[in-house]
Amino acid sequence: MKELQKVMSGVRRAVQHYDMIADGDRLVVGLSGGKDSSALLLALANMREFLPVKYDLAAVTVDMGFPGYRDKLAVLERFCADLGVEYRIVETQIAQIVFDE
């Protein structure tokens, strides 16, 4: 938990110093499932409770169409649900375009 506090402290300082979030903003995090995007989403979700501004938060993952990839997204869906964050998956045919065409 100490690591999360460090991340949240850094994010909070940046948000306040650069005035990055205003009341009523809607933030969307590109969620790949990697450490960076997951930590950012977790920090922003937790900071909703104590930042002096109120904002909406959502996450989006781009499904590039690789076989079996969609099945792995259930973990991210649960992660977002646990955080109370809206989650969307944007489907594309990038894999087909890159490898088949």
Side-chain angles (χ1 to χ4, degrees):
M1 212 40 131
K2 197 176 235 182
E3 291 81 13
L4 178 58
Q5 289 174 336
K6 284 182 182 181
V7 170
M8 287 180 61
S9 176
V11 172
R12 180 192 47 79
R13 278 195 313 271
V15 165
Q16 291 177 329
H17 181 77
Y18 296 105
D19 198 28
M20 297 171 82
I21 303 174
D23 253 344
D25 279 355
R26 178 162 171 85
L27 309 179
V28 179
V29 174
L31 184 61
S32 67
K35 295 175 205 168
D36 294 343
S37 62
S38 298
L40 177 61
L41 183 65
L42 181 60
L44 289 170
N46 285 310
M47 288 178 9
R48 290 181 294 191
E49 296 178 29
F50 60 84
L51 274 183
V53 295
K54 300 299 175 207
Y55 57 92
D56 292 323
L57 185 59
V60 65
T61 299
V62 176
D63 178 353
M64 296 195 275
F66 290 105
Y69 182 72
R70 185 67 185 244
D71 298 334
K72 297 177 182 180
L73 299 181
V75 172
L76 297 181
E77 288 177 307
R78 282 192 304 276
F79 179 60
C80 290
D82 290 346
L83 295 175
V85 172
E86 177 186 345
Y87 181 60
R88 293 192 183 173
I89 300 168
V90 177
E91 295 183 22
T92 70
Q93 287 78 40
I94 292 173
Q96 178 184 358
I97 293 167
V98 169
F99 294 107
D100 296 341
E101 295 184 20

Coordinates of all heavy atoms in Angstrom, one line a residue:
M1 N 0.8 -1.2 0.0 CA 0.0 0.0 0.0 C 0.9 1.3 0.0 O 0.4 2.3 -0.4 CB -0.9 -0.1 1.2 CG -2.3 0.6 1.0 SD -3.0 0.3 -0.6 CE -4.6 -0.1 -0.1
K2 N 2.1 1.1 0.5 CA 3.0 2.3 0.5 C 3.3 2.8 -0.9 O 3.4 4.0 -1.1 CB 4.3 1.9 1.3 CG 5.1 3.1 1.7 CD 6.3 2.6 2.5 CE 6.3 3.3 3.8 NZ 7.4 3.0 4.7
E3 N 3.4 1.9 -1.8 CA 3.7 2.2 -3.2 C 2.5 3.0 -3.8 O 2.7 4.0 -4.5 CB 4.0 1.0 -4.0 CG 5.3 0.3 -3.7 CD 5.3 -0.6 -2.5 OE1 4.1 -0.9 -2.0 OE2 6.3 -1.0 -2.0
L4 N 1.3 2.5 -3.5 CA 0.1 3.2 -4.0 C 0.1 4.6 -3.5 O -0.3 5.6 -4.2 CB -1.1 2.4 -3.7 CG -2.4 3.1 -4.1 CD1 -2.4 3.4 -5.6 CD2 -3.6 2.3 -3.7
Q5 N 0.4 4.8 -2.2 CA 0.4 6.1 -1.6 C 1.4 7.1 -2.3 O 1.1 8.2 -2.5 CB 0.7 6.1 -0.1 CG -0.5 5.5 0.7 CD -0.1 5.2 2.2 OE1 1.1 5.1 2.5 NE2 -1.1 5.2 3.0
K6 N 2.6 6.5 -2.7 CA 3.5 7.3 -3.4 C 3.0 7.7 -4.8 O 3.2 8.9 -5.2 CB 4.8 6.5 -3.6 CG 5.7 6.4 -2.4 CD 7.0 5.7 -2.7 CE 7.9 5.5 -1.5 NZ 9.1 4.8 -1.9
V7 N 2.4 6.8 -5.5 CA 1.8 7.1 -6.8 C 0.7 8.2 -6.6 O 0.7 9.2 -7.3 CB 1.2 5.8 -7.5 CG1 0.4 6.2 -8.7 CG2 2.4 4.9 -7.8
M8 N -0.2 8.0 -5.7 CA -1.3 8.9 -5.5 C -0.8 10.3 -5.1 O -1.3 11.3 -5.5 CB -2.3 8.4 -4.4 CG -3.1 7.2 -4.9 SD -4.2 6.6 -3.7 CE -5.3 8.0 -3.4
S9 N 0.3 10.3 -4.3 CA 0.8 11.6 -3.9 C 1.4 12.3 -5.1 O 1.2 13.5 -5.2 CB 1.9 11.4 -2.8 OG 2.6 12.6 -2.5
G10 N 2.1 11.6 -5.9 CA 2.7 12.2 -7.1 C 1.6 12.7 -8.1 O 1.7 13.8 -8.7
V11 N 0.6 11.9 -8.3 CA -0.5 12.3 -9.2 C -1.3 13.5 -8.6 O -1.6 14.5 -9.3 CB -1.5 11.1 -9.4 CG1 -2.8 11.5 -10.2 CG2 -0.8 10.0 -10.1
R12 N -1.5 13.5 -7.3 CA -2.2 14.6 -6.7 C -1.4 15.9 -6.8 O -2.0 16.9 -7.2 CB -2.5 14.3 -5.2 CG -3.2 15.4 -4.4 CD -3.2 15.3 -2.9 NE -1.9 15.0 -2.4 CZ -0.9 15.9 -2.2 NH1 -1.1 17.1 -2.5 NH2 0.3 15.5 -1.7
R13 N -0.1 15.8 -6.6 CA 0.7 17.0 -6.7 C 0.7 17.6 -8.1 O 0.5 18.8 -8.3 CB 2.2 16.7 -6.3 CG 2.4 16.8 -4.8 CD 3.9 16.8 -4.4 NE 4.7 15.9 -5.1 CZ 5.0 14.6 -4.7 NH1 4.4 14.2 -3.6 NH2 5.7 13.8 -5.4
A14 N 0.8 16.7 -9.1 CA 0.8 17.1 -10.5 C -0.6 17.7 -10.9 O -0.7 18.8 -11.5 CB 1.1 15.9 -11.4
V15 N -1.7 17.1 -10.4 CA -3.0 17.6 -10.7 C -3.2 19.0 -10.1 O -3.7 19.9 -10.8 CB -4.1 16.6 -10.2 CG1 -5.4 17.2 -10.1 CG2 -4.1 15.3 -11.0
Q16 N -2.8 19.1 -8.9 CA -2.9 20.5 -8.2 C -2.0 21.5 -8.8 O -2.4 22.6 -9.0 CB -2.8 20.3 -6.7 CG -4.0 19.5 -6.1 CD -3.9 19.3 -4.7 OE1 -2.8 19.2 -4.1 NE2 -5.0 19.2 -4.0
H17 N -0.7 21.1 -9.0 CA 0.3 22.1 -9.5 C -0.1 22.6 -10.9 O 0.1 23.8 -11.1 CB 1.7 21.5 -9.5 CG 2.7 22.4 -9.9 ND1 3.2 23.4 -9.1 CD2 3.4 22.5 -11.1 CE1 4.2 24.1 -9.8 NE2 4.3 23.5 -11.0
Y18 N -0.5 21.7 -11.7 CA -0.8 22.1 -13.1 C -2.3 22.4 -13.4 O -2.7 22.5 -14.5 CB -0.2 21.0 -14.1 CG 1.3 20.9 -14.0 CD1 1.9 19.9 -13.4 CD2 2.1 21.9 -14.6 CE1 3.3 19.8 -13.3 CE2 3.5 21.9 -14.5 CZ 4.1 20.8 -13.9 OH 5.4 20.7 -13.8
D19 N -3.0 22.3 -12.3 CA -4.5 22.6 -12.4 C -5.1 21.7 -13.5 O -5.8 22.2 -14.4 CB -4.7 24.0 -12.7 CG -6.2 24.5 -12.4 OD1 -6.8 23.8 -11.6 OD2 -6.6 25.4 -13.0
M20 N -4.8 20.4 -13.5 CA -5.2 19.4 -14.5 C -6.6 19.0 -14.5 O -7.1 18.5 -15.6 CB -4.3 18.2 -14.4 CG -2.8 18.5 -14.7 SD -1.8 17.1 -14.3 CE -1.9 16.2 -15.9
I21 N -7.3 19.1 -13.4 CA -8.7 18.6 -13.3 C -9.6 19.7 -12.7 O -9.2 20.3 -11.7 CB -8.8 17.3 -12.4 CG1 -7.9 16.2 -12.9 CG2 -10.3 16.8 -12.4 CD1 -7.9 15.0 -12.1
A22 N -10.7 20.0 -13.4 CA -11.6 21.0 -12.9 C -12.9 20.3 -12.5 O -13.2 19.2 -13.0 CB -11.8 22.0 -14.0
D23 N -13.7 21.0 -11.7 CA -15.0 20.5 -11.3 C -15.8 20.1 -12.5 O -15.9 20.9 -13.5 CB -15.7 21.6 -10.5 CG -15.8 21.3 -9.0 OD1 -15.6 20.1 -8.7 OD2 -16.1 22.2 -8.3
G24 N -16.4 18.9 -12.5 CA -17.2 18.5 -13.6 C -16.5 17.8 -14.8 O -17.2 17.4 -15.7
D25 N -15.2 17.8 -14.7 CA -14.5 17.1 -15.8 C -14.9 15.6 -15.9 O -15.2 15.0 -14.9 CB -13.0 17.2 -15.6 CG -12.4 18.5 -16.1 OD1 -13.2 19.4 -16.6 OD2 -11.2 18.8 -15.9
R26 N -14.7 15.1 -17.1 CA -14.9 13.6 -17.3 C -13.5 13.1 -17.8 O -13.1 13.5 -18.9 CB -16.0 13.3 -18.3 CG -16.2 11.9 -18.6 CD -17.5 11.6 -19.2 NE -17.6 10.2 -19.7 CZ -18.0 9.2 -18.9 NH1 -18.2 9.4 -17.7 NH2 -18.1 8.0 -19.4
L27 N -12.9 12.3 -17.0 CA -11.6 11.8 -17.4 C -11.7 10.4 -17.9 O -12.5 9.6 -17.4 CB -10.6 11.7 -16.2 CG -10.5 13.0 -15.3 CD1 -9.6 12.7 -14.2 CD2 -10.0 14.1 -16.2
V28 N -11.0 10.1 -19.0 CA -11.0 8.7 -19.5 C -9.5 8.2 -19.6 O -8.6 8.9 -20.1 CB -11.6 8.7 -21.0 CG1 -11.5 7.3 -21.5 CG2 -13.0 9.2 -20.9
V29 N -9.3 7.1 -19.0 CA -7.9 6.5 -19.0 C -7.9 5.4 -20.0 O -8.8 4.5 -20.0 CB -7.6 6.0 -17.6 CG1 -6.3 5.2 -17.6 CG2 -7.6 7.1 -16.6
G30 N -6.9 5.4 -20.9 CA -6.7 4.3 -21.8 C -6.1 3.1 -21.0 O -4.9 3.2 -20.5
L31 N -6.9 2.1 -20.8 CA -6.5 1.0 -19.9 C -6.0 -0.2 -20.7 O -6.8 -0.9 -21.3 CB -7.7 0.6 -19.0 CG -7.4 -0.5 -18.0 CD1 -6.4 0.0 -17.0 CD2 -8.7 -0.8 -17.2
S32 N -4.7 -0.4 -20.7 CA -4.1 -1.6 -21.4 C -4.0 -2.8 -20.5 O -3.9 -3.9 -21.0 CB -2.7 -1.2 -21.9 OG -1.8 -1.1 -20.7
G33 N -4.1 -2.6 -19.2 CA -3.9 -3.7 -18.3 C -2.5 -3.8 -17.8 O -2.1 -4.5 -16.9
G34 N -1.6 -2.9 -18.3 CA -0.2 -2.8 -17.8 C -0.2 -2.0 -16.5 O -1.1 -1.5 -16.0
K35 N 1.0 -2.0 -16.0 CA 1.2 -1.3 -14.7 C 0.9 0.2 -14.7 O 0.3 0.7 -13.8 CB 2.7 -1.5 -14.2 CG 3.0 -3.0 -13.9 CD 4.5 -3.1 -13.6 CE 5.0 -4.4 -13.9 NZ 6.5 -4.5 -13.9
D36 N 1.4 0.8 -15.7 CA 1.2 2.3 -15.8 C -0.3 2.7 -15.8 O -0.7 3.5 -15.0 CB 1.9 2.9 -17.0 CG 3.4 2.7 -16.9 OD1 3.9 2.5 -15.8 OD2 4.1 2.9 -17.9
S37 N -1.0 2.2 -16.8 CA -2.4 2.6 -16.9 C -3.2 2.1 -15.7 O -4.2 2.8 -15.3 CB -3.0 2.1 -18.2 OG -3.0 0.7 -18.3
S38 N -2.9 0.9 -15.2 CA -3.7 0.4 -14.1 C -3.4 1.2 -12.8 O -4.4 1.5 -12.1 CB -3.3 -1.1 -13.8 OG -3.7 -1.9 -14.9
A39 N -2.2 1.6 -12.6 CA -1.9 2.4 -11.4 C -2.5 3.8 -11.5 O -3.0 4.3 -10.5 CB -0.3 2.5 -11.3
L40 N -2.5 4.4 -12.7 CA -3.1 5.7 -12.9 C -4.6 5.6 -12.6 O -5.1 6.5 -11.9 CB -2.8 6.2 -14.3 CG -3.5 7.6 -14.6 CD1 -3.0 8.7 -13.7 CD2 -3.2 7.9 -16.1
L41 N -5.2 4.6 -13.2 CA -6.7 4.5 -13.0 C -7.0 4.3 -11.5 O -7.9 4.9 -10.9 CB -7.2 3.3 -13.8 CG -8.8 3.2 -13.7 CD1 -9.5 4.4 -14.3 CD2 -9.2 1.9 -14.4
L42 N -6.2 3.5 -10.8 CA -6.4 3.2 -9.4 C -6.2 4.5 -8.6 O -7.0 4.8 -7.7 CB -5.5 2.1 -8.9 CG -5.5 1.7 -7.5 CD1 -6.9 1.1 -7.1 CD2 -4.5 0.7 -7.2
A43 N -5.2 5.3 -8.9 CA -4.9 6.5 -8.2 C -6.1 7.5 -8.4 O -6.6 8.1 -7.5 CB -3.6 7.1 -8.6
L44 N -6.5 7.7 -9.7 CA -7.6 8.6 -9.9 C -8.9 8.2 -9.3 O -9.7 9.1 -8.9 CB -7.7 8.8 -11.5 CG -6.6 9.6 -12.1 CD1 -6.7 9.5 -13.7 CD2 -6.6 11.0 -11.7
A45 N -9.1 6.9 -9.3 CA -10.4 6.4 -8.7 C -10.4 6.7 -7.2 O -11.4 7.2 -6.6 CB -10.5 4.9 -9.0
N46 N -9.3 6.4 -6.5 CA -9.2 6.7 -5.1 C -9.2 8.1 -4.7 O -9.7 8.5 -3.7 CB -8.0 6.0 -4.5 CG -8.1 4.5 -4.4 OD1 -9.1 4.0 -3.9 ND2 -7.2 3.7 -4.9
M47 N -8.6 9.0 -5.6 CA -8.5 10.4 -5.3 C -9.8 11.1 -5.4 O -10.0 12.2 -4.9 CB -7.5 11.1 -6.2 CG -6.1 10.7 -5.8 SD -4.7 11.3 -6.8 CE -5.4 12.5 -7.9
R48 N -10.8 10.5 -6.0 CA -12.2 11.1 -6.1 C -12.7 11.4 -4.7 O -13.5 12.3 -4.6 CB -13.1 10.2 -6.9 CG -12.9 10.0 -8.3 CD -13.9 9.1 -9.0 NE -13.8 7.8 -8.5 CZ -14.4 6.7 -9.0 NH1 -15.2 6.9 -10.0 NH2 -14.2 5.5 -8.5
E49 N -12.3 10.6 -3.8 CA -12.8 10.8 -2.4 C -12.3 12.0 -1.7 O -13.0 12.5 -0.8 CB -12.5 9.5 -1.6 CG -13.2 8.3 -2.1 CD -12.8 7.0 -1.3 OE1 -12.5 7.2 -0.1 OE2 -12.8 5.9 -1.9
F50 N -11.1 12.5 -2.0 CA -10.5 13.6 -1.2 C -10.0 14.8 -2.0 O -9.7 15.8 -1.4 CB -9.5 13.0 -0.3 CG -8.3 12.4 -1.0 CD1 -7.2 13.2 -1.4 CD2 -8.2 11.0 -1.1 CE1 -6.2 12.6 -2.1 CE2 -7.1 10.4 -1.7 CZ -6.1 11.2 -2.2
L51 N -10.0 14.7 -3.3 CA -9.7 15.9 -4.0 C -10.8 17.0 -3.9 O -12.0 16.6 -3.8 CB -9.4 15.6 -5.5 CG -8.1 15.1 -5.9 CD1 -8.0 14.9 -7.5 CD2 -7.0 16.1 -5.5
P52 N -10.4 18.3 -3.9 CA -11.5 19.3 -3.7 C -12.3 19.5 -5.0 O -13.3 20.3 -4.9 CB -10.7 20.5 -3.4 CG -9.3 20.3 -3.9 CD -9.1 18.8 -3.9
V53 N -12.0 18.8 -6.1 CA -12.8 18.9 -7.3 C -13.5 17.6 -7.5 O -13.1 16.5 -7.1 CB -12.0 19.3 -8.5 CG1 -11.4 20.7 -8.4 CG2 -10.9 18.3 -8.8
K54 N -14.7 17.6 -8.1 CA -15.5 16.4 -8.4 C -15.4 16.2 -9.9 O -15.5 17.1 -10.7 CB -16.9 16.6 -8.0 CG -17.1 16.9 -6.5 CD -16.6 15.8 -5.7 CE -16.6 16.1 -4.2 NZ -15.6 15.4 -3.4
Y55 N -15.1 14.9 -10.3 CA -14.9 14.5 -11.7 C -15.5 13.1 -11.9 O -15.5 12.3 -10.9 CB -13.5 14.6 -12.1 CG -12.5 13.8 -11.3 CD1 -12.2 12.5 -11.6 CD2 -11.9 14.4 -10.1 CE1 -11.3 11.8 -10.9 CE2 -11.0 13.6 -9.4 CZ -10.7 12.3 -9.7 OH -9.8 11.6 -9.0
D56 N -15.9 12.8 -13.1 CA -16.3 11.5 -13.5 C -15.0 10.8 -14.1 O -14.2 11.4 -14.6 CB -17.4 11.6 -14.6 CG -18.7 12.1 -14.0 OD1 -19.0 11.8 -12.9 OD2 -19.4 12.8 -14.8
L57 N -15.0 9.5 -14.0 CA -13.9 8.7 -14.4 C -14.4 7.5 -15.2 O -15.3 6.8 -14.8 CB -13.1 8.3 -13.2 CG -11.8 7.5 -13.4 CD1 -10.8 8.4 -14.3 CD2 -11.1 7.2 -12.1
A58 N -13.7 7.2 -16.3 CA -14.0 6.1 -17.1 C -12.7 5.5 -17.7 O -11.7 6.1 -17.6 CB -15.0 6.4 -18.3
A59 N -12.8 4.3 -18.1 CA -11.6 3.6 -18.7 C -12.1 3.0 -20.1 O -13.2 2.6 -20.2 CB -11.1 2.5 -17.8
V60 N -11.1 2.9 -21.0 CA -11.4 2.3 -22.3 C -10.2 1.5 -22.7 O -9.0 1.8 -22.5 CB -11.7 3.4 -23.4 CG1 -10.5 4.3 -23.6 CG2 -12.2 2.8 -24.6
T61 N -10.5 0.3 -23.3 CA -9.4 -0.5 -23.9 C -9.7 -0.7 -25.3 O -10.9 -1.0 -25.7 CB -9.4 -1.9 -23.1 OG1 -9.1 -1.7 -21.8 CG2 -8.4 -2.9 -23.7
V62 N -8.7 -0.7 -26.1 CA -8.8 -0.9 -27.6 C -8.5 -2.4 -27.8 O -7.4 -2.9 -27.6 CB -7.9 0.0 -28.4 CG1 -8.0 -0.4 -29.9 CG2 -8.2 1.4 -28.2
D63 N -9.5 -3.1 -28.3 CA -9.4 -4.5 -28.7 C -8.9 -4.6 -30.1 O -9.7 -4.2 -31.0 CB -10.7 -5.3 -28.5 CG -10.6 -6.7 -28.9 OD1 -9.6 -7.2 -29.4 OD2 -11.6 -7.5 -28.7
M64 N -7.7 -5.0 -30.3 CA -7.2 -4.9 -31.7 C -7.5 -6.1 -32.5 O -7.1 -6.2 -33.7 CB -5.6 -4.7 -31.6 CG -5.3 -3.4 -31.0 SD -3.6 -2.9 -31.3 CE -2.8 -3.7 -30.0
G65 N -8.3 -7.0 -32.0 CA -8.8 -8.1 -32.7 C -7.9 -9.4 -32.8 O -8.1 -10.3 -33.6
F66 N -7.0 -9.5 -31.9 CA -6.1 -10.7 -31.8 C -6.9 -11.8 -31.2 O -7.7 -11.6 -30.2 CB -4.9 -10.4 -31.0 CG -3.9 -9.5 -31.7 CD1 -3.7 -8.2 -31.2 CD2 -3.1 -9.9 -32.7 CE1 -2.9 -7.3 -31.8 CE2 -2.2 -9.1 -33.4 CZ -2.1 -7.8 -32.9
P67 N -6.8 -13.0 -31.7 CA -7.5 -14.1 -31.2 C -7.3 -14.3 -29.7 O -6.1 -14.3 -29.2 CB -7.0 -15.3 -32.0 CG -6.4 -14.7 -33.2 CD -5.9 -13.4 -32.8
G68 N -8.4 -14.5 -28.9 CA -8.2 -14.8 -27.5 C -8.1 -13.6 -26.6 O -8.1 -13.6 -25.4
Y69 N -7.8 -12.4 -27.2 CA -7.5 -11.2 -26.4 C -8.8 -10.8 -25.7 O -8.6 -10.4 -24.5 CB -7.1 -10.1 -27.4 CG -6.7 -8.8 -26.6 CD1 -5.6 -8.7 -25.9 CD2 -7.5 -7.7 -26.7 CE1 -5.3 -7.5 -25.2 CE2 -7.2 -6.5 -26.0 CZ -6.1 -6.4 -25.3 OH -5.8 -5.3 -24.6
R70 N -9.9 -10.8 -26.3 CA -11.1 -10.4 -25.6 C -11.4 -11.2 -24.3 O -11.9 -10.6 -23.4 CB -12.3 -10.6 -26.6 CG -13.6 -10.0 -26.1 CD -13.6 -8.5 -26.0 NE -14.8 -8.0 -25.4 CZ -15.6 -7.2 -26.1 NH1 -15.4 -6.8 -27.3 NH2 -16.7 -6.7 -25.5
D71 N -11.0 -12.4 -24.3 CA -11.2 -13.2 -23.1 C -10.4 -12.7 -21.9 O -10.8 -12.8 -20.8 CB -10.8 -14.7 -23.3 CG -11.7 -15.4 -24.4 OD1 -12.8 -14.9 -24.6 OD2 -11.2 -16.3 -25.1
K72 N -9.2 -12.1 -22.2 CA -8.4 -11.6 -21.1 C -8.9 -10.3 -20.5 O -8.5 -9.9 -19.5 CB -7.0 -11.4 -21.7 CG -6.3 -12.6 -22.2 CD -5.0 -12.4 -22.8 CE -4.4 -13.7 -23.3 NZ -3.1 -13.5 -23.9
L73 N -9.9 -9.7 -21.2 CA -10.4 -8.4 -20.7 C -11.3 -8.5 -19.5 O -11.6 -7.5 -18.9 CB -11.0 -7.6 -21.9 CG -10.1 -7.3 -23.0 CD1 -10.8 -6.5 -24.1 CD2 -8.8 -6.5 -22.6
A74 N -11.7 -9.7 -19.2 CA -12.6 -9.9 -18.1 C -12.0 -9.4 -16.8 O -12.6 -8.9 -15.9 CB -13.0 -11.4 -17.9
V75 N -10.7 -9.6 -16.7 CA -9.9 -9.1 -15.5 C -10.0 -7.6 -15.4 O -10.3 -7.0 -14.3 CB -8.4 -9.5 -15.6 CG1 -7.6 -8.9 -14.5 CG2 -8.3 -11.0 -15.5
L76 N -9.9 -6.9 -16.5 CA -10.0 -5.4 -16.5 C -11.4 -5.0 -16.2 O -11.7 -4.0 -15.5 CB -9.5 -4.8 -17.8 CG -8.1 -5.1 -18.2 CD1 -7.7 -4.4 -19.5 CD2 -7.2 -4.6 -17.1
E77 N -12.4 -5.7 -16.7 CA -13.8 -5.4 -16.4 C -14.1 -5.5 -14.9 O -14.7 -4.6 -14.3 CB -14.7 -6.3 -17.1 CG -14.8 -6.1 -18.6 CD -15.6 -7.0 -19.4 OE1 -15.4 -8.3 -19.3 OE2 -16.5 -6.6 -20.2
R78 N -13.5 -6.5 -14.2 CA -13.7 -6.7 -12.8 C -13.0 -5.6 -12.0 O -13.5 -5.0 -11.0 CB -13.2 -8.1 -12.3 CG -14.2 -9.2 -12.6 CD -13.9 -10.5 -11.9 NE -12.5 -10.9 -12.2 CZ -12.2 -11.7 -13.2 NH1 -13.1 -12.0 -14.1 NH2 -10.9 -12.1 -13.4
F79 N -11.8 -5.3 -12.5 CA -11.0 -4.2 -11.9 C -11.7 -2.9 -11.9 O -11.9 -2.2 -10.8 CB -9.6 -4.1 -12.6 CG -8.7 -3.0 -12.1 CD1 -8.2 -3.0 -10.8 CD2 -8.3 -2.0 -13.0 CE1 -7.3 -2.1 -10.4 CE2 -7.4 -1.0 -12.5 CZ -6.9 -1.1 -11.2
C80 N -12.3 -2.5 -13.0 CA -13.1 -1.3 -13.1 C -14.3 -1.3 -12.3 O -14.7 -0.3 -11.6 CB -13.4 -1.0 -14.6 SG -11.9 -0.5 -15.5
A81 N -15.0 -2.5 -12.3 CA -16.2 -2.6 -11.5 C -15.9 -2.4 -10.0 O -16.7 -1.7 -9.3 CB -16.9 -4.0 -11.7
D82 N -14.8 -3.0 -9.6 CA -14.4 -2.9 -8.2 C -14.1 -1.4 -7.8 O -14.3 -1.0 -6.7 CB -13.2 -3.7 -7.8 CG -13.5 -5.2 -7.8 OD1 -14.7 -5.6 -7.8 OD2 -12.6 -6.0 -7.9
L83 N -13.6 -0.6 -8.8 CA -13.3 0.8 -8.5 C -14.5 1.7 -8.7 O -14.4 2.9 -8.5 CB -12.2 1.2 -9.5 CG -10.8 0.6 -9.3 CD1 -9.8 1.0 -10.3 CD2 -10.3 0.9 -7.9
G84 N -15.6 1.1 -9.2 CA -16.7 2.0 -9.6 C -16.5 2.9 -10.8 O -17.0 4.0 -10.8
V85 N -15.8 2.3 -11.7 CA -15.4 3.1 -12.9 C -16.1 2.5 -14.1 O -16.0 1.3 -14.3 CB -13.8 3.1 -13.1 CG1 -13.4 3.7 -14.4 CG2 -13.1 3.8 -12.0
E86 N -16.7 3.3 -14.9 CA -17.3 2.9 -16.2 C -16.2 2.3 -17.1 O -15.1 2.9 -17.2 CB -18.0 4.0 -16.9 CG -18.6 3.7 -18.2 CD -19.2 4.9 -18.9 OE1 -19.3 6.0 -18.3 OE2 -19.4 4.8 -20.1
Y87 N -16.5 1.2 -17.8 CA -15.5 0.6 -18.6 C -16.1 0.3 -20.0 O -17.2 -0.3 -20.1 CB -15.0 -0.7 -18.0 CG -13.9 -1.5 -18.8 CD1 -12.7 -0.9 -19.1 CD2 -14.1 -2.8 -19.2 CE1 -11.7 -1.5 -19.8 CE2 -13.2 -3.4 -19.9 CZ -12.0 -2.8 -20.2 OH -11.0 -3.5 -20.9
R88 N -15.3 0.6 -21.0 CA -15.7 0.3 -22.4 C -14.6 -0.3 -23.1 O -13.4 0.0 -22.9 CB -16.1 1.6 -23.1 CG -17.4 2.2 -22.5 CD -17.9 3.3 -23.4 NE -19.1 3.8 -22.7 CZ -19.7 4.9 -23.2 NH1 -19.3 5.5 -24.3 NH2 -20.8 5.4 -22.5
I89 N -15.0 -1.2 -24.1 CA -14.0 -1.9 -25.0 C -14.4 -1.4 -26.4 O -15.5 -1.5 -26.8 CB -14.1 -3.4 -24.9 CG1 -13.8 -3.8 -23.4 CG2 -13.2 -4.0 -25.9 CD1 -14.2 -5.3 -23.2
V90 N -13.4 -0.9 -27.1 CA -13.6 -0.4 -28.5 C -13.0 -1.5 -29.3 O -11.8 -1.8 -29.3 CB -12.9 0.9 -28.7 CG1 -13.0 1.3 -30.2 CG2 -13.4 2.0 -27.8
E91 N -13.8 -2.1 -30.1 CA -13.4 -3.2 -31.0 C -12.8 -2.7 -32.3 O -13.4 -1.7 -32.9 CB -14.5 -4.2 -31.3 CG -15.0 -4.9 -30.0 CD -16.0 -5.9 -30.3 OE1 -16.2 -6.4 -31.5 OE2 -16.7 -6.3 -29.3
T92 N -11.7 -3.2 -32.8 CA -11.2 -2.8 -34.1 C -10.7 -4.1 -34.8 O -10.7 -5.2 -34.2 CB -9.9 -1.9 -33.9 OG1 -8.8 -2.7 -33.4 CG2 -10.2 -0.7 -33.0
Q93 N -10.4 -4.0 -36.1 CA -9.8 -5.1 -36.9 C -8.4 -4.8 -37.2 O -7.9 -5.2 -38.2 CB -10.6 -5.2 -38.1 CG -12.0 -5.9 -37.9 CD -13.0 -4.8 -37.4 OE1 -13.0 -3.7 -37.9 NE2 -13.9 -5.2 -36.5
I94 N -7.7 -4.2 -36.3 CA -6.3 -3.8 -36.5 C -5.4 -5.1 -36.8 O -4.6 -5.1 -37.8 CB -5.7 -3.0 -35.4 CG1 -6.3 -1.7 -35.3 CG2 -4.2 -2.9 -35.5 CD1 -6.0 -0.8 -34.1
A95 N -5.6 -6.1 -36.1 CA -4.9 -7.4 -36.3 C -5.1 -7.9 -37.7 O -4.1 -8.3 -38.4 CB -5.2 -8.4 -35.2
Q96 N -6.3 -7.9 -38.1 CA -6.6 -8.4 -39.5 C -6.0 -7.5 -40.5 O -5.4 -8.1 -41.5 CB -8.2 -8.5 -39.7 CG -8.6 -8.9 -41.1 CD -10.1 -8.9 -41.3 OE1 -10.8 -8.5 -40.4 NE2 -10.5 -9.2 -42.5
I97 N -6.1 -6.3 -40.4 CA -5.5 -5.3 -41.3 C -4.0 -5.5 -41.4 O -3.4 -5.6 -42.5 CB -5.9 -3.9 -41.0 CG1 -7.4 -3.7 -41.2 CG2 -5.1 -2.9 -41.9 CD1 -7.9 -2.4 -40.6
V98 N -3.3 -5.6 -40.3 CA -1.9 -5.7 -40.2 C -1.4 -7.0 -40.8 O -0.4 -7.1 -41.6 CB -1.4 -5.5 -38.8 CG1 0.1 -5.8 -38.7 CG2 -1.6 -4.0 -38.4
F99 N -2.0 -8.1 -40.4 CA -1.5 -9.4 -40.7 C -2.1 -10.1 -42.0 O -1.5 -10.9 -42.6 CB -1.6 -10.4 -39.5 CG -0.8 -9.9 -38.4 CD1 -1.3 -9.4 -37.2 CD2 0.6 -10.1 -38.5 CE1 -0.5 -8.9 -36.2 CE2 1.4 -9.6 -37.4 CZ 0.8 -9.1 -36.3
D100 N -3.3 -9.7 -42.3 CA -4.0 -10.3 -43.4 C -4.1 -9.5 -44.7 O -4.3 -10.0 -45.8 CB -5.4 -10.7 -43.0 CG -5.5 -11.8 -41.9 OD1 -4.4 -12.4 -41.7 OD2 -6.5 -11.9 -41.3
E101 N -3.9 -8.2 -44.6 CA -4.1 -7.4 -45.8 C -2.8 -6.7 -46.1 O -2.1 -6.0 -45.8 CB -5.2 -6.4 -45.5 CG -6.5 -7.1 -45.4 CD -7.7 -6.2 -45.2 OE1 -7.6 -5.0 -45.6 OE2 -8.7 -6.7 -44.7

